[in-house]
Amino acid sequence: MKTMAPQKTSSRLLALLSLLQAHRDWSGDDLAERLDITPRTVRRDIDRLRELGYPIRAFKGPSGGYRLDAGSQLPPLLFDDGQAVALALALRSVAGDGAIGEDAARALATVRQVMPPRLRRRVDMLRVTAVRTPGNDEASPAGTEVLMELGRVIRDREELRFDYGTEPVSALADPAQAAVGAGPPRRTQPHHLVAWRGRWYLLAWDLDRDDWRTFRVDRLRPRTPTGPRFTPREIPGGDVAAFVTGRFRGTDGSSADWPCRGQVVLDLPAEAAVPYAQDGIVEELGPERCRLTLGSWSWTGLAATLGHFGTAIHVEGPPQLTDAFAELAARYASAAASTGPARA
C-alpha cells in the first residue's frame, strides 16, 4: 500500500489549482497521481475550491474528470512569482492612462496588498512612469465602459451605430451633445480596437462610405440597440498594426511605410543625428558625415523635417525631394523679404 506524504491543505489546494489552470481536462486518477494523494482527497479538495468560487465542472468517464471553466464571478487567482511581478509592473505602466488609469491603480493596490513581502519589495524597487507622447498631453480618456462595449460588439460581430463629434464626449457638459453638428449616426462593422500615441481608436468598415475608417473612441457615443450580425471582412494585407500605421501615415493602408521617403547626406556625426532621426535609418559615412533615410506624409513635410537638423544637406534622391527643397526655399525667401502685416 502506497503511503501518502503529509502535505498542508493550503499548499495542496494551490498545487491542484495550478494543475487545473495549466490543462483543460484532468481525470481524477491523474490528479491523484500528480499530487501524490488519494482520489477521495482530490474530490474533497475540488469541493473546497468550488467553495472559494472556482467554477470546476466534473465530467463523466472511466475515472471521472474535472475541468476549470470560466465563471460569472472572478475567484481568487493564482500566480507564480514571475507572473505576479509582471502583472504589477504592467498595471503600474498604465496607471496614468486616462481611460483605465483609475481602475489600473486600484487593481495594482489590490495585487500589491496580497503579495508576500519579498515580492512587494521587488515591485517597489522598480519605479515605472508612463510618459505620454509629446504634443499629446490633451488626449482625453475614452472611458472604460465605452471600451468594454466596443470590445463586446467586436467579439459578437454586431453592426454598431454611433454619434461622432469633433470634441471628446468627456469634455461636453451633456454627452448627448456628441451628436450635435455631427450629422446622422455612423453605421459601421467594428473590427478592432487599437491604441496609437496615447489614444484609443476603433477600426471599422464604414457602411455608408464603403471603406475602412478609424474613429477616435473618446469622440464617439454608441447607440442602442446594436445592428445585425455580420461576417468580418479581411483587413487589407491581413496585418492590423501595419494597416493602421499606414493609414496614419497617409497611405491607403496597403503599406505601413511613409508615402514619401528620401535620402540625404548630412554634415553631422551619426551619433548627433540618431536622437532626432525618429524612425529613419542613419548610416555613418565618416567622423562628420552620415546618410539619413527618412519618410514623411508629403515631400515638403519631409524637406521641412530635414531642415531641423541645422546643417548642410546633400540630397541623394529622389527628384521630388529636391523639388520640395526648392519650393520651401522660395517660400522662405518670400517670407524673409516681406515686412509688415500680411495683406488681406
Side-chain angles (χ1 to χ4, degrees):
M1 180 177 178
K2 185 176 182 180
T3 302
M4 301 299 173
Q7 189 178 23
K8 290 184 178 179
T9 302
S10 58
S11 300
R12 196 174 64 241
L13 289 177
L14 290 176
L16 173 59
L17 181 57
S18 179
L19 291 175
L20 291 171
Q21 289 177 334
H23 195 280
R24 183 165 178 80
D25 294 331
W26 286 95
S27 71
D29 289 344
D30 287 342
L31 287 173
E33 182 178 355
R34 290 290 296 269
L35 297 172
D36 197 20
I37 57 179
T38 65
R40 181 181 178 184
T41 303
V42 170
R43 290 193 293 271
R44 288 202 306 265
D45 288 348
I46 291 291
D47 290 337
R48 291 190 179 100
L49 289 176
R50 286 170 174 161
E51 291 174 358
L52 291 173
Y54 291 96
I56 302 173
R57 183 160 61 92
F59 60 87
K60 296 180 179 180
S63 303
Y66 303 96
R67 174 182 303 160
L68 180 62
D69 284 344
S72 59
Q73 295 182 341
L74 184 64
L77 301 178
L78 173 67
F79 299 104
D80 60 29
D81 288 3
Q83 290 173 324
V85 173
L87 176 62
L89 292 179
L91 290 171
R92 178 171 286 173
S93 68
V94 297
D97 185 276
I100 59 174
E102 183 179 350
D103 291 336
R106 290 192 298 107
L108 175 60
T110 301
V111 172
R112 186 183 178 280
Q113 183 178 5
V114 299
M115 278 184 169
R118 56 187 178 80
L119 292 185
R120 194 180 304 134
R121 285 193 296 269
R122 289 178 61 185
V123 171
D124 291 344
M125 285 173 57
L126 298 173
R127 297 296 178 183
V128 178
T129 302
V131 180
R132 287 186 176 183
T133 304
N136 199 39
D137 293 336
E138 78 286 0
S140 300
T144 304
E145 292 185 4
V146 175
L147 290 172
M148 294 290 289
E149 173 62 10
L150 294 181
R152 185 194 68 78
V153 294
I154 291 171
R155 180 201 63 198
D156 295 342
R157 301 175 180 178
E158 296 177 356
E159 291 185 4
L160 178 69
R161 297 177 305 129
F162 54 84
D163 297 310
Y164 195 65
T166 58
E167 296 292 334
V169 175
S170 61
L172 302 175
D174 181 3
Q177 295 177 2
V180 176
R186 307 297 287 265
R187 299 187 312 116
T188 65
Q189 294 177 346
H191 282 257
H192 290 83
L193 275 172
V194 297
W196 175 271
R197 295 188 175 181
R199 287 195 177 100
W200 285 98
Y201 292 85
L202 172 68
L203 174 61
W205 178 263
D206 193 311
L207 292 167
D208 295 319
R209 290 158 178 78
D210 199 33
D211 194 10
W212 292 98
R213 290 289 190 271
T214 53
F215 302 94
R216 273 179 52 172
V217 173
D218 62 329
R219 290 182 178 177
L220 64 83
R221 185 170 64 91
R223 286 199 177 191
T224 56
T226 54
R229 292 180 180 270
F230 64 91
T231 300
R233 301 168 185 265
E234 183 71 22
I235 298 293
D239 188 327
V240 174
F243 179 79
V244 172
T245 300
R247 279 298 180 96
F248 279 114
R249 288 181 171 180
T251 72
D252 60 2
S254 59
S255 171
D257 201 0
W258 290 104
C260 303
R261 182 171 289 274
Q263 193 171 81
V264 299
V265 172
L266 303 176
D267 288 351
L268 281 178
E271 59 269 21
V274 166
Y276 309 101
Q278 303 173 18
D279 59 351
I281 300 173
V282 179
E283 304 172 64
E284 184 178 5
L285 300 180
E288 299 295 329
R289 284 166 60 87
C290 67
R291 176 180 290 112
L292 173 61
T293 304
L294 192 64
S296 183
W297 61 276
S298 72
W299 291 112
T300 53
L302 177 57
T305 299
L306 291 168
H308 294 168
F309 285 89
T311 188
I313 302 172
H314 312 278
V315 179
E316 292 192 339
Q320 293 94 323
L321 180 56
T322 302
D323 295 340
F325 273 115
E327 181 181 344
L328 282 181
R331 291 184 192 175
Y332 293 157
S334 176
S338 64
T339 57
R343 297 191 183 95

